[in-house]
Amino acid sequence: MSERLGGPALRHPLGAYPDYRADPLALFYEQAVAHGGSVRLRLAHQQLHLLVEPEHINQVLVTNAAKYEKGISYQSLNYLLGPGLLTSGGELWKRQRALIKPAFSRRHVDTEIPLMVECGQRMLDRLDAYAATDAVFDLVPEVMSFAADVVCRAIMGSDIDGVLPQIEDDVREGVSWVMRHMAAPIQVPLKVPTPANRRFHGVRERLHRVVDSVIQRHRDADAETTSLLARLLAARDDAGHAMDDAQLRHEVLTFLLAGHETTGGAMAWTIYELARNPTVLARVRDEIDIALASADVDRALPALELTGRAIDEAMRLHPPAWAFSRTAIEPDSFDRFDLRPGAIVVISPFVNHRFPEFWDSPLTFDPDRFTKEQTKLRPPFRYFPFGWGAHLCVGQHMALTEVRVGIAMLLARYDIQLVNGMRVRENPEISNTPDPVLVRLTRRAPAVPTATTMREAAQ
């Protein structure tokens, strides 16, 4: 007889489903802490196995990875994105990853930094209007627009001004449909012509038209060779095969979603945590001022070491990719429980990044957790905002570079005051974003670093 993973006794007929709909982050975290690690949760008619303990996660993602496939969360995403790198599995995933990974090399990402700075300047131009009037506004849509600006132009080229606002709106609407579909206890098939499904069909058709048009323009003209799409068009596997237009569309849509939502969320959370922690903010700002006093943003980035650690710590507390799922396709046995085929596994970076057994003072914002020395000593599966192992995000370096550029430009230009207090709501949809971050901006005078500020920034 197989052993079941322990979990709470729930009297509600839907189990923990009402709590999941209200706040999945709180549900997962509180139950993991209450049960000391991995725990089984019933959501309506489904049993979820939330795996927290590193040996359990390693078994699913590494040693016995062949016994699992991407789970329920990816099925709903597939309706929006198609079988691209994020949602596919098996041989298709292996082939696509091999084709795509070189396009995100550090060498290629570094060539995109001037584009990031241009997009950052457009963001500052918009924000100057708020600063000039001392207006209170939500920072989240502004940094999301910056992230969308970067990813759309990096992927599709510079000539997209006419379609960028529509892409942002359609991606946002598509994500909302995916989240409703994913969380529904009974999923209505997409072919059923409900009002929500009809709107989703319209969103998807518009996105397909835009992306297909850009792909065709790239095929017709050899002049534009610097975009990510151009690199994907040129990519060949070992047999010399290239991606067809349908597969290119799946990958472009994947990058538009992943590069927009997760990067914008990481940037918003970093600003929020720095604004809540003025001592750390002062150190980060001094580092930025010193670096930008002698170099442009692109050449100053390597010196922004503390800034990078602040970003890492913000993603520890608020990982944009807050959970992902797997489904068992073969039986598997663990130290104290077994899983049958069809069992649903959930792995949550949000839980592990805050789990008291893994971190000292886990709810405290402390970038010094991410010094080189501390990072080398950290055991596996304590911190994994970009996934793990073979499925580590190919766009990790691009995302971190973009957030560092955006943070440096914002803090060099403005003093940022939080208006809505010291807490904001986590908004765990496909990505975890703050909702909202109300701020007031004040233009800063150009900084002149002194010997004192240089010593403090180096500490």
Side-chain angles (χ1 to χ4, degrees):
M1 179 175 167
S2 64
E3 296 288 334
R4 295 203 337 167
L5 180 62
L10 301 169
R11 296 184 177 181
H12 195 285
L14 295 178
Y17 181 74
D19 295 326
Y20 176 83
R21 288 302 303 269
D23 191 343
L25 298 179
L27 172 67
F28 288 171
Y29 179 77
E30 290 168 3
Q31 291 298 331
V33 171
H35 289 81
S38 301
V39 59
R40 177 176 50 84
L41 299 169
R42 180 171 67 85
L43 305 188
H45 60 284
Q46 296 178 327
Q47 299 284 345
L48 301 188
H49 301 81
L50 175 65
L51 302 189
V52 178
E53 293 157 58
E55 59 271 24
H56 296 163
I57 299 175
N58 186 68
Q59 188 164 322
V60 170
L61 295 185
V62 182
T63 58
N64 288 0
K67 293 186 176 184
Y68 299 87
E69 63 182 8
K70 291 182 177 178
I72 53 174
S73 57
Y74 297 94
Q75 295 167 11
S76 298
L77 268 172
N78 191 68
Y79 286 116
L80 177 62
L81 306 178
L85 189 61
L86 180 61
T87 58
S88 64
E91 291 304 314
L92 174 60
W93 173 83
K94 291 179 182 177
R95 175 178 180 271
Q96 288 305 108
R97 185 175 176 86
L99 282 169
I100 290 167
K101 188 176 180 180
F104 285 94
S105 69
R106 288 180 179 268
R107 175 174 61 88
H108 285 309
V109 169
D110 288 348
T111 66
E112 303 290 357
I113 294 175
L115 169 65
M116 298 175 190
V117 174
E118 290 176 11
C119 296
Q121 187 58 55
R122 279 191 285 273
M123 174 179 64
L124 298 185
D125 291 342
R126 295 193 303 270
L127 297 183
D128 277 347
Y130 293 113
T133 59
D134 199 34
V136 173
F137 68 101
D138 183 4
L139 186 64
V140 176
E142 296 298 335
V143 297
M144 285 292 185
S145 291
F146 163 72
D149 197 10
V150 172
V151 72
C152 288
R153 294 179 193 278
I155 292 172
M156 299 192 293
S158 58
D159 187 22
I160 59 166
D161 288 321
V163 298
L164 185 56
Q166 187 64 56
I167 291 174
E168 284 192 76
D169 289 344
D170 285 337
V171 168
R172 192 179 305 112
E173 178 66 26
V175 165
S176 295
W177 183 92
V178 167
M179 288 306 301
R180 292 193 299 271
H181 186 268
M182 193 184 300
I186 300 176
Q187 295 179 340
V188 178
L190 185 57
K191 64 183 179 181
V192 177
T194 66
N197 283 354
R198 287 199 299 269
R199 286 194 301 272
F200 178 75
H201 279 294
V203 162
R204 195 170 62 174
E205 288 169 6
R206 284 193 298 273
L207 286 171
H208 286 189
R209 282 198 301 269
V210 169
V211 173
D212 289 349
S213 174
V214 172
I215 291 172
Q216 190 59 51
R217 288 205 307 270
H218 274 66
R219 289 200 183 279
D220 291 344
D222 295 329
E224 185 164 29
T225 59
T226 60
S227 70
L228 174 61
L229 178 54
R231 296 197 291 271
L232 296 181
L233 280 164
R236 299 292 185 272
D237 62 17
D238 291 341
H241 298 140
M243 285 183 251
D244 61 22
D245 285 359
Q247 193 63 48
L248 282 165
R249 181 207 299 148
H250 302 326
E251 304 304 349
V252 168
L253 289 173
T254 296
F255 300 140
L256 289 179
L257 173 65
H260 170 200
E261 286 262 317
T262 57
T263 306
M267 188 170 166
W269 280 121
T270 304
I271 290 292
Y272 166 71
E273 287 293 348
L274 288 172
R276 292 179 67 215
N277 293 272
T279 301
V280 180
L281 173 59
R283 292 172 59 203
V284 169
R285 175 167 285 148
D286 283 344
E287 177 184 75
I288 291 169
D289 288 345
I290 292 166
L292 294 183
S294 58
D296 294 332
V297 175
D298 53 348
R299 290 185 291 118
L301 285 183
L304 302 184
E305 187 268 343
L306 174 59
T307 306
R309 287 194 277 124
I311 295 166
D312 290 340
E313 175 69 344
M315 288 196 299
R316 182 188 70 82
L317 284 168
H318 314 281
W322 57 279
F324 52 93
S325 62
R326 294 290 186 269
T327 300
I329 56 177
E330 297 180 26
D332 203 3
S333 294
F334 295 76
D335 55 355
R336 63 178 187 275
F337 63 96
D338 301 319
L339 293 181
R340 297 176 179 178
I344 298 170
V345 170
V346 174
I347 298 166
S348 173
F350 182 89
V351 172
N352 284 55
H353 289 188
R354 294 170 173 235
F355 199 59
E357 293 185 18
F358 298 162
W359 301 90
D360 294 328
S361 302
L363 303 185
T364 300
F365 180 74
D366 180 10
D368 290 340
R369 301 179 199 272
F370 289 93
T371 61
K372 290 181 180 180
E373 294 76 18
Q374 290 293 327
T375 299
K376 287 179 182 178
L377 294 173
R378 186 170 300 118
F381 299 110
R382 269 61 169 178
Y383 182 73
F384 50 112
F386 292 97
W388 195 271
H391 288 271
L392 187 69
C393 175
V394 296
Q396 175 179 353
H397 180 58
M398 183 167 179
L400 291 174
T401 301
E402 180 183 335
V403 175
R404 200 177 297 201
V405 168
I407 296 291
M409 296 182 73
L410 274 170
L411 294 185
R413 177 74 69 100
Y414 306 110
D415 286 320
I416 301 176
Q417 176 192 357
L418 279 179
V419 175
N420 56 328
M422 301 297 281
R423 301 292 299 173
V424 302
R425 186 173 69 92
E426 310 262 354
N427 187 30
E429 294 194 336
I430 290 177
S431 296
N432 177 29
T433 56
D435 183 25
V437 178
L438 299 180
V439 299
R440 180 180 286 113
L441 302 181
T442 304
R443 282 288 297 263
R444 299 178 63 212
V448 179
T450 66
T452 300
T453 60
M454 292 176 72
R455 285 195 301 271
E456 290 174 351
Q459 291 175 355

